[in-house]
Amino acid sequence: MGDYKSDRWVNGEKQFRGRIALIRKNVSLQSVKKSDYPELLLVTLVFHQVTPEGLPSSGAELDRLDNTEEVIADQVCSRYDAQFAMCVTTNGTRDLFFFLPSLPTEKELAKAIDACEPAVDYDFTL
């Protein structure tokens, strides 16, 4: 497993359904075989306070999102040998995309994320 914090990320900004979308993509994963990480985990963090553009409305809200993203990413990457591939912030949410070599159960994953004590609401999809 690589360390996503030392990986190379590129940032972009686009309009998506009339809202700003901030996108971070881990380009270090270009050499990773998709067949080694065939499963997708999408974790959605939900903002408490949103601007009309759909972005976090304060520095405190941004800090809550950033901190929650980091603890969840650390947990998912270390526990499930996952690769953190992309992050999209738009329309009141931040979506975290992880590729996994195999699927944990939903119950196991919920327990692992809850153990991170997220500072914002979340949902996930396998």
Side-chain angles (χ1 to χ4, degrees), residues 3 6 8 11 27 32 36-37 46 49 58 60 66-67 72 77 111 123-124:
D3 178 14
S6 63
R8 185 168 163 258
N11 299 311
V27 295
V32 173
D36 291 342
Y37 295 87
V46 181
Q49 304 165 346
S58 68
D66 289 345
N67 293 336
I72 289 175
C77 289
K111 186 175 178 181
D123 194 9
F124 68 87

Side-chain angles (χ1 to χ4, degrees), residues 48-109:
H48 292 163
Q49 304 165 346
V50 182
T51 66
E53 294 82 23
L55 299 177
S57 65
S58 68
E61 180 73 356
L62 183 59
D63 288 343
R64 276 194 297 278
L65 285 165
D66 289 345
N67 293 336
T68 300
E69 173 188 330
E70 186 171 356
V71 296
I72 289 175
D74 288 346
Q75 175 83 307
V76 169
C77 289
S78 66
R79 188 171 193 151
Y80 301 108
D81 192 30
Q83 298 290 335
F84 187 9
M86 184 179 293
C87 175
V88 178
T89 303
T90 190
N91 199 24
T93 64
R94 177 175 287 175
D95 293 325
L96 313 176
F97 295 80
F98 299 93
F99 292 105
L100 294 84
S102 61
L103 284 179
T105 66
E106 286 189 19
K107 186 176 181 178
E108 178 186 11
L109 190 55

